[in-house]
Amino acid sequence: MTLIQIGLVLLGLSSFVFSHRGANSPIPTDSSSKVVVLTDENFRDVINSNDEWILEFYANWCGACRNYAPQYDTFSKKVVDELPHIKVAKVDVDANPMLTSRFFIS
């Protein structure tokens, strides 16, 4: 199974997992994570490259998003280490309405 296939499996499984953590507290990120945090302000500067990007759109109040965060961090480390032309990023949908609407996330 390739890393991309593993990532797709993780994305599919994440929609079935729920959490009871604090709904509005930030989703914790592993300190060694390779996930780039994208915002309305930094999107153009960060994405302007020849790299390919995998984006996760999440909400702090979403239980599935909170449970998926550690797997996404692990996935990001493997992808960046094995496929350096692919970058992994995440976007907080509540804090970044312009990006959220640009990608038709509701």
Side-chain angles (χ1 to χ4, degrees):
M1 186 175 271
T2 69
L3 284 175
I4 301 302
Q5 290 170 324
I6 291 169
L8 293 174
V9 169
L10 289 174
L11 284 172
L13 291 176
S14 70
S15 64
F16 297 104
V17 180
F18 296 95
S19 171
H20 299 291
R21 295 181 193 144
N24 290 323
S25 59
I27 295 176
T29 301
D30 182 341
S31 62
S32 64
S33 174
K34 305 285 185 175
V35 178
V36 176
V37 177
L38 293 180
T39 65
D40 289 339
E41 291 77 29
N42 73 0
F43 179 78
R44 284 191 188 271
D45 295 331
V46 172
I47 297 295
N48 280 339
S49 69
N50 290 328
D51 297 320
E52 295 178 46
W53 288 84
I54 298 172
L55 301 181
E56 173 199 21
F57 290 84
Y58 72 95
N60 284 324
W61 50 264
C62 171
C65 299
R66 297 180 70 77
N67 275 338
Y68 179 63
Q71 288 92 348
Y72 195 65
D73 285 340
T74 301
F75 174 72
S76 72
K77 292 176 208 169
K78 291 180 181 178
V79 167
V80 172
D81 289 345
E82 293 182 26
L83 303 167
H85 68 285
I86 297 178
K87 306 296 183 205
V88 180
K90 64 181 181 179
V91 178
D92 181 340
V93 297
D94 293 321
N96 301 287
M98 289 174 24
L99 281 177
T100 300
S101 64
R102 177 180 180 169
F103 289 98
F104 303 102
I105 306 296
S106 59

